[in-house]
Amino acid sequence: MSGRLFDPLGDDLPPASEGARYDIPLAERMRPHDLDEYAGQKHLVGAGRPLRLLLEAGTVPSCILYGPPGVGKTTLVRLMGAASGRQLLEINAVTAKVAQLREMVDDAKAIKLRQGGRSAIAFVDEIYHFNSQQQNALLPAVERGDLILVGTTTENPYFEINKTLLSRMAVYTLEPLEPEDLLQLLRRALVDRERGLGKLEVSATDDVLMTIARRSGGDARGALLRLENAVSAVAAGGGRELDEAGAIEATGAATQRYDRASDDHHAVISALIKSMRGSDPDAAIYWLARMLAGGDDLRFICRRLCIFAAEDIGLADPMALLVAQNAAAACDRVGLPEANLILSMAVLYLASAPKSNSATLAIGAAEKSVAGGDILEVPRHLRNAPDSDYIYPHDDPRHWVPQAYLPSARRFYYPGNLGAEARVKERLKKLWKRFSEE
């Protein structure tokens, strides 16, 4: 077989025609031959990084490569085999059966025996598709070292992989590629005459290539696909240069790395909440736009805004909860796309409002007191009893009278110093001595 990872043809088959070569996707043709060609993930395989040092020493740990599509997981596994000089067995979890797993384990044992105890790499692509039974079938072989198990997954392995199997494997997280990494990849693909698009003789400036890189969402496969479509369109029209307008027209809208049921969803809503908490309206409105572009559920967003208004703004601006609640009602009535305007108004208001978590801390402290056994009796004068000596506050010109509402004093609420709550604090200081004792 050919040593080129992208080449699907064996030496015993006739070579593909020039036209047929371009039927193989550019991303497949441009798969790197070694770690030096590998784009991105410098935290894992950059010069001097621990994983790279292991591979160059011929050692491959059983591991899970976790990351979004198009960031080089499959490519890295294949380079692990090449860099360490180990044989690579490959199976896809989407289609594999238990019998095929057992066959792969048997093959790995035979390879280890033939190679004097040197284990092969068993690569399971999209390993999270395996059910518990299939994952458990691999456990004894991993435990004994009959094979080195390397799995790839786009889903969180801490949720999707059996704990017993995961405890025997390292987890390496691959990140979306930076635009600069994609730019280098696109430059190479554009001029490479053997594997890339060089024979089409279409040029492009770095600015045009960076436009493609930025619109690819850190996805190397997507970036190369966009480049291939754009350059092929120019060449088919007899052109010799790809300009920015042509790149945008041929590549479509920017990639949204977002799935409202996955880690991206939780990461972006977390960023939105923390940006509002940090009073940064520009960051908050950006993360809202990401959620809307990803098709997130309007009711989910509105629910989070209502929670935020009470949890993080509270009594510093009591209007915040009304704004969030009214925004939720208006979004429910209006729907998309106009609901974007309503959410924009609400998010900007919440992000810009003064902040206080005193209500959150107060109910938390009171609940902790109750859970800890601090169960107080209701004072007699607060009960609905005929002989109660309760004093009605509104009968006093101050609309307040000094009487006890707990059998012994407790302190749960500590007013903040911002916005409307500053006025609340001053009023309570005049009524209750404990609010003057910070």
Side-chain angles (χ1 to χ4, degrees):
M1 295 291 289
S2 168
R4 294 176 184 162
L5 295 174
F6 64 86
D7 190 351
L9 300 176
D11 292 334
D12 55 335
L13 295 177
S17 67
E18 186 64 24
R21 184 173 74 88
Y22 286 103
D23 286 343
I24 302 171
L26 178 62
E28 186 66 23
R29 303 199 308 268
M30 289 300 299
R31 284 193 189 274
H33 291 156
D34 54 44
L35 289 172
D36 290 329
E37 281 191 7
Y38 186 72
Q41 315 311 330
K42 293 180 176 60
H43 63 293
L44 296 178
V45 293
R49 303 306 298 172
L51 180 57
R52 179 160 186 157
L53 294 175
L54 285 174
L55 297 178
E56 290 175 343
T59 301
V60 179
S62 285
C63 60
I64 298 289
L65 302 183
Y66 166 46
V71 297
K73 298 186 297 297
T74 299
T75 296
L76 181 54
V77 177
R78 293 175 179 174
L79 291 177
M80 284 179 169
S84 64
R86 293 177 183 269
Q87 191 160 339
L88 182 68
L89 306 175
E90 185 170 343
I91 198 169
N92 191 297
V94 176
T95 57
K97 307 297 183 185
V98 173
Q100 293 171 288
L101 280 178
R102 293 189 175 126
E103 182 180 345
M104 182 177 70
V105 170
D106 290 340
D107 288 344
K109 289 179 180 177
I111 291 170
K112 184 175 182 179
L113 187 62
R114 286 198 307 269
Q115 296 189 351
R118 187 173 176 80
S119 300
I121 299 172
F123 169 32
V124 181
D125 197 12
E126 302 296 351
I127 193 172
Y128 70 93
H129 282 290
F130 275 168
N131 58 35
S132 294
Q133 180 187 5
Q134 290 169 309
Q135 291 183 32
N136 288 336
L138 293 166
L139 194 59
V142 176
E143 183 79 24
R144 292 191 300 264
D146 293 336
L147 51 78
I148 297 167
L149 178 61
V150 178
T152 62
T153 174
T154 56
E155 300 296 325
N156 194 323
Y158 296 104
F159 299 147
E160 303 295 336
I161 307 299
N162 286 0
K163 298 297 184 290
T164 50
L165 183 59
L166 197 62
S167 70
R168 293 161 173 81
M169 306 179 74
V171 176
Y172 296 113
T173 300
L174 281 72
E175 304 290 346
L177 273 68
E178 295 293 333
E180 292 74 17
D181 292 325
L182 292 176
L183 177 61
Q184 293 181 19
L185 188 61
L186 295 175
R187 282 175 182 156
R188 191 161 64 240
L190 185 64
V191 300
D192 189 318
R193 300 181 69 85
E194 180 183 359
R195 294 183 290 163
L197 303 169
K199 289 186 178 179
L200 297 181
E201 296 184 344
V202 173
S203 64
T205 66
D206 277 358
D207 287 342
V208 171
L209 295 180
M210 183 57 84
T211 296
I212 296 175
R214 289 198 176 108
R215 295 168 71 88
S216 300
D219 182 336
R221 185 186 300 113
L224 289 169
L225 175 63
R226 288 168 182 266
L227 178 69
E228 184 172 27
N229 289 342
V231 169
S232 297
V234 171
R240 285 292 177 264
E241 182 177 0
L242 173 65
D243 60 19
E244 185 158 353
I248 293 173
E249 184 178 356
T251 58
T255 298
Q256 298 290 332
R257 276 203 182 279
Y258 195 87
D259 182 339
R260 63 183 188 178
S262 74
D263 287 349
D264 287 333
H265 160 80
H266 298 293
V268 173
I269 187 59
S270 176
L272 172 60
I273 295 300
K274 288 171 181 172
S275 298
M276 290 192 298
R277 184 180 294 141
S279 297
D280 188 335
D282 294 314
I285 205 69
Y286 170 80
W287 295 120
L288 172 65
R290 283 284 300 275
M291 296 188 76
L292 292 171
D296 218 317
D297 181 41
L298 279 180
R299 291 189 175 183
F300 170 80
I301 299 173
C302 290
R303 186 166 63 249
R304 293 301 307 172
L305 296 185
C306 288
I307 294 168
F308 176 84
E311 180 180 10
D312 289 287
I313 297 175
L315 294 171
D317 183 356
M319 283 295 297
L321 183 55
L322 294 178
V323 169
Q325 187 176 9
N326 287 337
C331 286
D332 199 40
R333 177 173 295 180
V334 172
L336 291 168
E338 290 83 357
N340 291 12
L341 304 174
I342 297 164
L343 287 173
S344 174
M345 177 181 171
V347 165
L348 291 173
Y349 185 97
L350 299 181
S352 304
K355 305 298 188 294
S356 171
N357 67 341
S358 61
T360 303
L361 297 176
I363 188 62
E367 288 175 338
K368 183 178 180 181
S369 178
V370 171
D374 188 15
I375 309 301
L376 303 177
E377 291 295 323
V378 177
R380 184 173 183 79
H381 66 280
L382 300 184
R383 296 173 182 266
N384 292 322
D387 58 345
S388 171
D389 56 355
Y390 169 69
I391 303 171
Y392 188 56
H394 295 297
D395 288 340
D396 188 282
R398 299 168 298 175
H399 296 270
W400 176 83
V401 292
Q403 65 182 336
Y405 294 94
L406 288 172
S408 58
R410 298 288 189 277
R411 184 76 190 276
F412 302 116
Y413 176 45
Y414 292 83
N417 298 311
L418 298 178
E421 196 168 25
R423 297 189 295 275
V424 172
K425 183 175 185 178
E426 291 306 312
R427 180 173 183 273
L428 290 175
K429 282 183 178 181
K430 296 175 182 177
L431 301 181
W432 306 104
K433 183 180 179 181
R434 64 182 181 274
F435 283 94
S436 297
E437 300 170 352
E438 291 300 334

